[in-house]
Amino acid sequence: MTDLEAVVTALQARVQHLDDQAAIYQLIANYGPAADSGWSAMAASLWTDDGIYDAQVGAWQGREAIAGMIDGETHQSYIHAGCAHVLTMPYITVDGDTAVATCYGQLFRRDGENFRIWRVTATRWELHRTAGGWRIANRVNKLLDGDASARELLRRGLMHQGAEG
Amino acid sequence: MTDLEAVVTALQARVQHLDDQAAIYQLIANYGPAADSGWSAMAASLWTDDGIYDAQVGAWQGREAIAGMIDGETHQSYIHAGCAHVLTMPYITVDGDTAVATCYGQLFRRDGENFRIWRVTATRWELHRTAGGWRIANRVNKLLDGDASARELLRRGLMHQGAEG
Amino acid sequence: MTDLEAVVTALQARVQHLDDQAAIYQLIANYGPAADSGWSAMAASLWTDDGIYDAQVGAWQGREAIAGMIDGETHQSYIHAGCAHVLTMPYITVDGDTAVATCYGQLFRRDGENFRIWRVTATRWELHRTAGGWRIANRVNKLLDGDASARELLRRGLMHQGAEG
């Protein structure tokens, strides 16, 4: 291998790492608009075929079940009264073809002339690299109500890597 | 073209895509600090010369009009009482020299000892690549009050591309 | 230098810039989960050895002092009652081995069945590139209560560079 080839190979690895981080940001930034527009098939497509969404208020496995949650009475009543499912910029660790992203999920709901913060959760995204790109194998939310389980989830998301990820 | 040249050409395309996503993040992360510091010329410079900001509570075309909104009585009263215009991490689709970014806009206002969520909107950024970088040709906000127009805006932002953008 | 070498050298500079932006996102996305899980050593490790955190409600210098704030009575009472320290997507300017990131910090606290926005601050991160990656030399929060100091902080964060950072 020539020197120039070695430089290009090193660049490829750095660009792959950046591509992964950028693609996972896109995946997470897609969920809110999909959920809040009621586009159930789009929201469900973010998961693997048998992916899990364990949202504490309920748990669903597989795309059909996840789409059914979006199409269901509770979610529809929220979006027709006005709401926003906001995910914050995640901390990401990539390990080959799997990754973990950790961030906060916020549900804002219309309340009179303004809005109310219905809930704030710690949220963990266990991701798999598939032929079609990164997909969610398991997403877990824990309400930030002081229970140790939310702190545990946040802490696990930072393990195995230093600050620069 | 040698093999190495082909590898480098492919890398250039990937880096261009990453550059675009990173630059659009910067553009959107600039708006809040510009608006909340009352730096009207900076906020207006994010738009193209004849760019539009259709914020539902008002609409402005051209940099002078947008700067005038920042310098105006309503906005000034908000920033002098304490407020934050927060834009969330967007979902982005780039198509050559145009791009669309979709996210949430939140207006937090000081309220006694704490803060109130004055409004939460779905916000769409139609962007043009110019000689000076990405600029806003049209930004549209729709209040998330349950009206179908906000869901339509969110849904349009996810079209034409899969989860990885 | 051949043409191909020149192309690769230009790519390296662009990838370095992207790496810096991505690493600073990771650093900032780490703080909330570290603080809200009570992992004081992790939170403190984001600063340089003698780094400063000037949070207006208090100021601390050095990792031991910053860890002590996380382990202290006030912070512990917050996380055991339920809270989220959310940092929004920052605007970043990199200048060699130093960088400045500017964003909003939000403290959400559990309040009955829902949450309250305890405070919203403008937050400035002065960063140094170290052998171990980017670290915080100085972080300053200013409450967005209408005081001019918060507007000044936001404005300073946008100086020296145009919209594309």
Side-chain angles (χ1 to χ4, degrees), chain A residues 37-94:
Chain A
S37 66
W39 193 352
S40 54
M42 175 60 84
S45 77
L46 305 176
W47 271 261
T48 60
D49 285 346
D50 58 351
I52 294 170
Y53 184 14
D54 177 0
Q56 204 168 17
V57 292
W60 302 271
Q61 178 157 18
R63 289 181 175 164
E64 196 177 338
I66 292 164
M69 176 275 289
I70 299 288
D71 291 331
E73 199 175 337
T74 301
H75 187 83
Q76 290 294 317
S77 73
Y78 282 24
I79 67 179
H80 283 86
C83 72
H85 289 77
V86 173
L87 284 314
T88 67
M89 194 176 63
Y91 182 80
I92 296 171
T93 56
V94 176

Side-chain angles (χ1 to χ4, degrees), chain A residues 13-52:
Chain A
R14 292 168 72 187
V15 169
Q16 183 59 54
H17 192 77
L18 289 164
D19 273 347
D20 288 338
Q21 187 168 336
I24 291 168
Y25 284 173
Q26 286 279 85
L27 181 79
I28 291 176
N30 190 313
Y31 179 77
D36 292 323
S37 66
W39 193 352
S40 54
M42 175 60 84
S45 77
L46 305 176
W47 271 261
T48 60
D49 285 346
D50 58 351
I52 294 170

Side-chain angles (χ1 to χ4, degrees), chain A residues 164, chain C residues 47-49 63 97 127-136:
Chain A
E164 282 66 43
Chain C
W47 270 262
T48 58
D49 285 346
R63 288 181 175 164
D97 291 335
L127 306 162
H128 286 184
R129 189 196 306 275
T130 73
W134 289 97
R135 290 290 182 276
I136 308 162

